[in-house]
Amino acid sequence: MAHRGTGFFDTRGNYYKTPEDATISDLAGILGKIGEGDSLAPGIAQMLLDRRSEIERLFAEHDTMMAEYQPHGAGKVTQLKARAS
């Protein structure tokens, strides 16, 4: 008998049963192959998704710091005189 179902797809069009699995696939694709042999990217992608709120908080703090950051000596350029040959 036919039945209805729900599926989720990553950006490459691969089917997954859960949105988490589709997102992990996309994250692993962004990370690329990590390590020798089997890639560590899927495991790292799982950790990124699991720790999303902590990671988003860190990026928000980074953005705040960068908005206020001025590199030492920024905007203060001193022209050197050309050497006489």
Side-chain angles (χ1 to χ4, degrees):
M1 176 176 183
H3 61 280
R4 182 176 155 188
T6 300
F8 302 90
F9 299 87
D10 64 9
T11 56
R12 293 176 292 172
N14 297 317
Y15 168 82
Y16 294 92
K17 292 182 180 180
T18 67
E20 290 84 7
D21 290 341
T23 301
I24 289 168
S25 175
D26 282 339
L27 284 170
I30 289 170
L31 294 171
K33 185 171 180 351
I34 300 174
E36 296 183 22
D38 290 340
S39 177
L40 300 174
I44 294 169
Q46 176 71 53
M47 289 177 61
L48 290 172
L49 190 60
D50 291 345
R51 297 181 179 179
R52 177 182 177 172
S53 61
E54 297 168 61
I55 292 167
E56 288 177 343
R57 180 184 52 79
L58 286 174
F59 276 117
E61 290 172 2
H62 174 77
D63 292 343
T64 299
M65 289 186 289
M66 289 303 292
E68 300 168 1
Y69 175 67
Q70 289 291 325
H72 185 70
K76 298 178 182 178
V77 177
T78 303
Q79 292 287 336
L80 298 177
K81 294 181 181 179
R83 291 186 195 176
S85 322

